[in-house]
Amino acid sequence: MSSEDDDPIIQEIDVYLAKSLADKLYLFQYPVRPAAMTYDVAHLSAKIKPKQQKVEVELAIDSMSPNYCRSKGEQIALNVDGTTTEESNTYSTKLMDKQTFSSIQATTNTSRYAAAVFRKGELHLTPLHGILQLRPSFSYLDKADSKHREREAANEGGDSSQDEAEEDVKQITVRFSRPESEQARQRRVQSYEFLQKKHAEEPWVHLHYYGLKDSRSEHERQYLFCQFTGMAENTELVKSPSEYLAMLMPPPVEEEFAKPVCPSNVLSMAQLRSLPLGDQVRTLMKNVKVMPFANLMSFLSPGTDSTAVLRCIQQVAMLVQGNWVIKSDVLYPKDSCSPHSGVPAEVLCRGRDYVMWKFTQERWVERKAVAAVVKLPPEDVKDFMEQMSVTRINRGWEFLLPHDGEFIKKHPDVAQRQHMLWMGIQAKLEKVFKLSKEDMMPKKQTPQPGSVVVSGEQLVTKARENVRENYSVLERELQQRHRAQSQDLGAVRVKQEPLSDGEEPMDTSSSAGHNNAAVNGLYSDDSSRDSVNGPCLPRTHATPTQELRDFVSSIFRKHFVLTLSELKRLFNLHLASLPPGHSLFSGISDRLLQETVLDSKCKQILVPFPPQSSAEADEQKVFALWEMGDSFDQHRQLLLEIFMKNYRVRRNLIQGKLTQEFGDNVTKTDLDRLLKECCVSYGGMWYLKGTVQS
């Protein structure tokens, strides 16, 4: 039997759309009372603001009711109107005998709501223009407070006749306001005070109230029925099946106004990576202003060609101290002006180019000296400085990022091209600002008298420079200490083995501008294997020290599973925590580090990575703590053996293997602890730590 026979049609009802009251029909709701308690009292007045859909209705209060407290009603009327008798009084009978109901919109979109009337087998629908909720208004209390403050002010002022004599002529200062900027106007228009003022400006439209059984109400109710029941007049409800289906499930329509791809203060990575590469670079630079090339590549999609990125970045940014700074004409387009002073974009670009050029010559810049040359308002000059530098006490403004000498070494052609561009900009600035050759020469950075605040990075850099200068003395001391002690001391520095094809070296150049070289990575080729404190020891002397063994043991007892890449990162962080100038900054190879791991009761887990995996070589080398000496060793070993055969597994598989091997002694708490120590969950699957690619 078909489904249509199971659900027969019992009755067909004709539906009509009435439009006579479509723009005037409101639904009133009274949420403070149940439906059974209606307001069956006299309605004294009503008024409406049509644009705001705001309604106020005055209802009489039954002052003769046994539930009405007359003394309270008289007291409220006295507080509101005082003892005077005026036409503007709220309560003319000296008794609170009425209350006001004020409305708020229950919803702003009433397109899905209609009033329905069923008559003689026909259903008539009238769209609602608004749905309003009416609640008691207590504005009379505000009026009572105002009266009270007026009486207190009158009592304090007294009735002295000398008040008028004491009024003396006062000087008035006339001030002329600045022209209002576009941003200030938008803020003012969106303010609460402005909206309240606009709402108050709309005049009230006074209405006549007719009761439920009034003849006029009966007449108006007839408009709820469709006046024309013929087919021609109800074309909205007479549709073909395909048209009716399209009304129920309309096809997706693109929005007329596209949403902003990247708001000024928020960057969505999903939206960003959907843009062309050039737009991605432009958007990032406009938001960040100053960025190293390595950071820029990290924001882009994995696998993005660095050569293409270099072509794009040179169109929107300039190279300053090895870092990229957004171009002035990109930040201040043509025909725009300063949001602070209204200075044209062309003048702003010249001033900002001068600040950028100064930072190509010097690490520190004084704002007063810049302002004296560019002759721009202080707000604009400060804006330039804050975009690319930070202020230091008694020193001036320091460039925001450390010098990226590694990028200059890696891309000398780009650096040379940028240098030629800066030479052209320098010649242009000389003409515009009429600068002499002495003004264009970089000044020697001399320490300011008085107290100077030096950052931690500067202290570390200075200490490392001192150690390099005194390397021979330190080397002799180190050899004497090796002979005197039974084991090597101190931390060791990871040194990169010669890389195979496809592996990427860790960035640890130790140029003067790189204060963070010891943190960011290791040296990648034999020509640059010197550690921060001097050349590393020969390979024959690079044996595991006790401090290296202790570090490896403690780090695996804390993390349990680590890739070689993550292990080197943690080791470099440990190395960076050592005091500057430490005599034990000696280099070791990746092989020595891995041998130390394997000697520390750890084991390499040969995880079968999928062929499409984007993991680097160091990320595919996974090590795990094999023996810890606790009751969980066997459970942990079984889990690691599972991951030697599977890149990812489900929880129930792990639980089944543990139950099969150890019986029902494995509790849920034990399994949770085991997974927390060694694994991470993603998409309902479990992976060893460090093997999930974001």
Side-chain angles (χ1 to χ4, degrees), residues 524-540:
S524 59
D525 56 284
D526 293 334
S527 63
S528 61
R529 290 176 184 267
D530 291 354
S531 66
V532 176
N533 289 347
C536 61
L537 293 176
R539 186 181 298 272
T540 56

Side-chain angles (χ1 to χ4, degrees), residues 401-424:
L401 298 176
H403 187 277
D404 193 354
E406 183 66 21
F407 176 83
I408 297 176
K409 291 179 182 178
K410 195 172 181 179
H411 304 281
D413 53 335
V414 176
Q416 179 63 24
R417 191 180 304 115
Q418 290 290 310
H419 176 69
M420 297 302 295
L421 290 175
W422 277 120
M423 293 294 291

Side-chain angles (χ1 to χ4, degrees), residues 334-392:
K334 189 178 179 181
D335 298 331
S336 63
C337 61
S338 167
H340 305 291
S341 59
V343 175
E346 183 181 358
V347 181
L348 290 176
C349 290
R350 289 201 301 262
R352 188 174 181 274
D353 285 345
Y354 178 77
V355 175
M356 292 171 61
W357 175 82
K358 287 290 288 183
F359 277 116
T360 64
Q361 305 295 309
E362 304 170 8
R363 183 71 187 168
W364 302 84
V365 171
E366 293 183 3
R367 189 172 69 166
K368 290 183 178 179
V370 171
V373 173
V374 299
K375 294 180 175 59
L376 285 173
E379 296 87 354
D380 293 324
V381 177
K382 185 179 180 182
D383 195 18
F384 299 157
M385 306 296 285
E386 289 178 342
Q387 290 173 9
M388 63 189 81
S389 59
V390 290
T391 182
R392 304 292 188 193

Side-chain angles (χ1 to χ4, degrees), residues 81-146:
D81 297 328
T83 57
T84 61
T85 303
E86 300 175 359
E87 293 183 0
S88 60
N89 284 355
T90 304
Y91 304 110
S92 58
T93 61
K94 300 298 181 181
L95 184 70
M96 184 180 177
D97 54 357
K98 61 181 179 180
Q99 61 177 334
T100 302
F101 281 77
S102 182
S103 71
I104 60 172
Q105 283 184 286
T107 178
T108 56
N109 183 16
T110 58
S111 60
R112 300 188 301 126
Y113 299 94
V117 181
F118 186 73
R119 183 182 67 173
K120 297 180 182 180
E122 298 174 348
L123 184 64
H124 298 259
L125 301 178
T126 302
L128 289 176
H129 186 61
I131 301 177
L132 307 179
Q133 293 183 347
L134 277 76
R135 292 178 171 85
S137 173
F138 301 98
S139 58
Y140 61 88
L141 295 178
D142 297 334
K143 190 174 180 181
D145 290 342
S146 178

Side-chain angles (χ1 to χ4, degrees), residues 19 55 71 77 84 94 238 308 360 378 388 450 462 557 641 651:
K19 297 182 178 180
V55 174
S71 61
T84 61
K94 300 298 181 181
V238 180
T360 64
M388 63 189 81
K462 185 63 177 177
R557 285 179 175 271
E641 289 174 355
R651 179 190 175 99

Side-chain angles (χ1 to χ4, degrees), residues 237-264:
L237 300 180
V238 180
K239 302 290 183 182
S240 65
S242 59
E243 292 174 336
Y244 183 65
L245 181 61
M247 291 174 63
L248 292 178
M249 300 178 63
V253 180
E254 295 184 1
E255 297 181 1
E256 296 182 5
F257 302 99
K259 295 181 179 179
V261 176
C262 295
S264 59

Side-chain angles (χ1 to χ4, degrees), residues 161-200:
S161 60
Q162 297 179 356
D163 290 346
E164 296 182 0
E166 291 176 358
E167 293 182 3
D168 199 358
V169 178
K170 295 181 180 179
Q171 182 179 359
I172 298 177
T173 303
V174 179
R175 296 182 180 179
F176 297 93
S177 61
R178 290 183 179 180
E180 188 178 31
S181 65
E182 182 63 23
Q183 291 182 345
R185 191 190 70 81
Q186 292 180 358
R187 287 195 298 268
R188 180 177 61 81
V189 169
Q190 295 175 0
S191 66
Y192 175 78
E193 182 181 358
F194 181 83
L195 294 177
Q196 289 294 102
K197 183 179 178 181
K198 292 292 290 183
H199 289 167

